[in-house]
Amino acid sequence: MIGLITRLRQLRHSDQTIAAYVQETLVESLYASPQSLVIGAVTSSAITMIVALVSGNAWMTGCAIAIAAVAGSRIVDALRLSRRSAKRQPSKKAALGPWGRRQERLYRSGAIGYSSLLGTFGLLTLVNTNDGVLQLLAVTTTIGYAAGIAGRNAGRPWIALSQLSFASVPLAIGLLVSLEPLKIVLAIVILLFVVAMMDITLQTYGVILKATVASREKAALAEHHAAIARRDDLTGVANRTAFREQFEARLQRLSVEEHQLAINWLDLDRFKEINDSFGHLAGNALLAEIARRLDQAFGEDGVVARLGGDEFAVVCTVKTEADAMTIGQTILALVEKPVLHEGRLLQVNASIGIAIAPADGSDADTLLKNADLALYRAKDSGRGQMCFYEPLMDEKISRTRDLAAEMQGALERGEFHLVFQPIFDLAGEHVLSCEALLRWTNRQHGAISPAEFIPIAEDTGLIVSIGGWVIREACRIASAWPQAVKIAVNLSPIQLRSADLTTVIMNALASTGFAAERLELEVTESVLLEDIEASLAALDAINRLHVRTTLDDFGTGYSSLSYLTKFPFQTLKIDRSFITDLEQSPASVAIVQTVIDLAAKLGMRTVAEGVETQAQLNQLRRTRCDAVQGYLLARPMPASMVATMLAGNAQKAQARS
Ligand code: C2E
Ligand code: CA
Ligand code: CA
């Protein structure tokens, strides 16, 4: 008895503290098996009806009708609610939700009403009839019902305990008031039985509660783990797996909704530099902050994910292409904003490739491939750019990939050859040197412009071996020319940074017997800005071999005249764009004049390239550069033609002398 009272106290306490979702599960257990409720309701209302009819007592008949009515409505409720509760999502709130409260109230009123009616019917039978069989039927039905309830509704113990009391206590009263000794004994037995059943109910409740809590916790833990597995560790945004799922879900919705989806695939420019110069922690902080900004801006309505490394994806709903453009610009601005890390400002740019669904594809694979193609193009056009996917991109990029593959064996197949463009003195009479220009005629693609294949050779790294061949081949061919004619060879930035450049040059000179002083290497100015120290060292090493260096395409990059003083160039080649402008623009004349004067002061020779008209040549004669090159004087030509031309020149010179 004391144990029972303690359990009842605990029950009051536990009912207030257990989480709502556990309570709901327990409430659901009331409706878990409608069959037992149906069987109980049908049999007990049938028996009470029979007992009432046989007794002919009006009170009992009325009570039996009430029992049948309540039983009927409970059956309907139980069947309806058991079907609904199967479809419901459990709530995670801390209190029993309105659904749970309503269901519990409904069940409680039905259950208590029904058990009170049964108890009352037992009491009426004991009081109004003397028929032992009828009394036996009424008592056993009520007690049987009470016993069943104790186990069935243990999940909501207050209901079970009330039902037990409301059914059995009137019965015990009925037996006690009969004042018959045997019935009094039975009453006492029934009351003891009620106490025992209450204890069993509470014990069962304890077990059910523990099991429910454990299973709920396990489910919550599994849910938590699943969420973690789909999140990027470093930045907290969706990872590749989660991105794929969410992206595909968005695509499916697209077919029924009236908007478009913009897929922004972004890649940080110069992220590696940050990592290399400031360490991984700085790199990580930068990634996390960028992810946070993107998530804040687009996470609510869109999908923000880190696809790995320094790549992110942002998927957003848009109405027009202009919307997508705005989103791209916002992303660029968010990424560009410096990130403060340990007192240092870290700054990167992003390149963005944009594909729009459904126009650029309807399945995830196609769209991602197209966004990637657009990204490839964006990166190609410089830092901080965005680029929309265009159908032709496919072709261009697949051609690039084809060419890269074809270039692998091109040197061995002898597909490369050199042409030479003479560089003249200002009078246009003497060839001072010839620039070697590489040509590639591929077995499948035919003649390919160097403007197209040189960047590919640089990207694949093949430029190092191809460039080495160019140096050797140029020296070999030029060694047959008159001593006074030099050869100029273009050097890619990649070659300039390759460790064995000096060895390559020395070997080329040694194997052809070509004099180092006759070789000039042309380097574009963009290379110098990227790594000043390394470029200086490489140029010095070249100069130490007595090979000359030329700064090519001067004026196209970010070069300032002042920094020219730092680099050991012997020659400066003024870019074609200035020469083209000479005729129309007085500013160009001034620039070219300034460059020539400064170069002269620094002890450098100047070459004007891309001279196409007589007017340009006349102007250059006034500004007094040292040499000119261009279609006006000579186009690039095969080695045999150069030899003929140089021989002709030599004859003319001889005739004059
Ligand atoms: P570049 O070094 O500026 O070479 C000059 C380019 O301008 C050549 O084009 C030449 O044919 C062209 N050109 C010469 N005179 C004129 C003119 O009066 N008007 C016009 N419109 N163009 C003129 P090409 O041969 O197509 O070479 C393009 C670029 O490819 C070169 O520009 C150079 O950067 C690169 N390249 C060519 N051969 C090699 C090589 O062996 N190694 C490396 N690394 N790059 C090379
Ligand atoms: Ca050049
Ligand atoms: Ca040039």
Side-chain angles (χ1 to χ4, degrees), residues 396 399-400 403 407 440 447-457:
K396 184 172 180 263
R399 176 171 160 96
T400 303
L403 290 183
M407 207 182 286
W440 180 23
I448 303 147
S449 146
E452 185 178 14
F453 74 77
I454 297 283
I456 300 175

Side-chain angles (χ1 to χ4, degrees), residues 435-437 488-491 522-524 550 552-553 573 609 629:
E435 179 177 6
L437 294 163
V489 174
N490 291 289
L491 207 59
E522 297 192 0
V523 206
T524 57
T550 299
D552 200 357
D553 301 340
K573 220 181 208 193
E609 71 173 342
Q629 178 187 20

Side-chain angles (χ1 to χ4, degrees), residues 189-202:
V189 168
I190 287 176
L191 288 174
L192 287 174
F193 165 78
V194 167
V195 172
M197 287 316 290
M198 282 183 165
D199 201 41
I200 289 172
T201 301
L202 291 175

Side-chain angles (χ1 to χ4, degrees), residues 272-290:
K272 201 179 161 298
E273 273 173 46
I274 300 261
N275 246 350
D276 291 348
S277 24
F278 304 122
H280 282 289
L281 286 181
N284 288 354
L286 183 80
L287 290 175
E289 173 59 16
I290 287 174

Side-chain angles (χ1 to χ4, degrees), residues 19-35:
Y21 56 78
V22 175
Q23 279 189 19
E24 271 186 13
T25 308
L26 295 174
V27 171
E28 273 166 21
S29 77
L30 294 174
Y31 293 95
S33 142
Q35 305 92 288

Side-chain angles (χ1 to χ4, degrees), residues 11 15 18 22-30 96 104 107-108 152-163 201 205 208-209:
L11 169 63
D15 219 31
I18 53 176
V22 175
Q23 279 189 19
E24 271 186 13
T25 308
L26 295 174
V27 171
E28 273 166 21
S29 77
L30 294 174
L96 192 58
E104 185 170 27
Y107 190 93
R108 191 174 49 213
R152 187 186 186 281
N153 292 351
R156 294 312 286 146
W158 287 119
I159 296 181
L161 297 181
S162 318
Q163 283 181 284
T201 301
Y205 169 65
I208 294 176
L209 185 63

Side-chain angles (χ1 to χ4, degrees), residues 132-191:
V133 178
L134 294 185
Q135 289 185 350
L136 182 68
L137 276 173
V139 170
T140 47
T141 302
T142 310
I143 292 300
Y145 172 81
I149 271 331
R152 187 186 186 281
N153 292 351
R156 294 312 286 146
W158 287 119
I159 296 181
L161 297 181
S162 318
Q163 283 181 284
L164 205 52
S165 320
F166 284 113
S168 344
V169 172
L171 210 61
I173 294 170
L175 290 167
L176 286 173
V177 296
S178 70
L179 299 175
E180 289 174 37
L182 283 177
K183 286 191 178 168
I184 291 173
V185 171
L186 184 58
I188 293 166
V189 168
I190 287 176
L191 288 174

Side-chain angles (χ1 to χ4, degrees), residues 558-638:
Y558 314 83
S559 51
S560 77
L561 291 173
S562 67
Y563 102 163
L564 269 184
T565 54
K566 283 193 191 155
F567 292 99
F569 291 109
Q570 288 78 46
T571 308
L572 197 84
K573 220 181 208 193
I574 305 167
D575 190 63
R576 191 164 72 223
S577 53
F578 292 99
I579 311 304
T580 312
D581 283 355
L582 275 183
E583 285 170 77
Q584 295 93 17
S585 149
S588 280
V589 177
I591 292 170
V592 171
Q593 188 67 68
T594 313
V595 169
I596 291 172
D597 292 347
L598 185 87
K601 279 201 190 100
L602 295 172
M604 280 187 262
R605 295 171 63 253
T606 41
V607 179
E609 71 173 342
V611 182
E612 291 181 346
T613 67
Q614 190 60 48
Q616 288 165 359
L617 185 60
N618 294 342
Q619 183 60 55
L620 287 166
R621 282 178 179 154
R622 281 195 287 278
T623 44
R624 304 210 59 79
C625 62
D626 296 298
V628 285
Q629 178 187 20
Y631 291 171
L632 177 72
L633 301 138
R635 291 197 171 239
M637 58 185 80

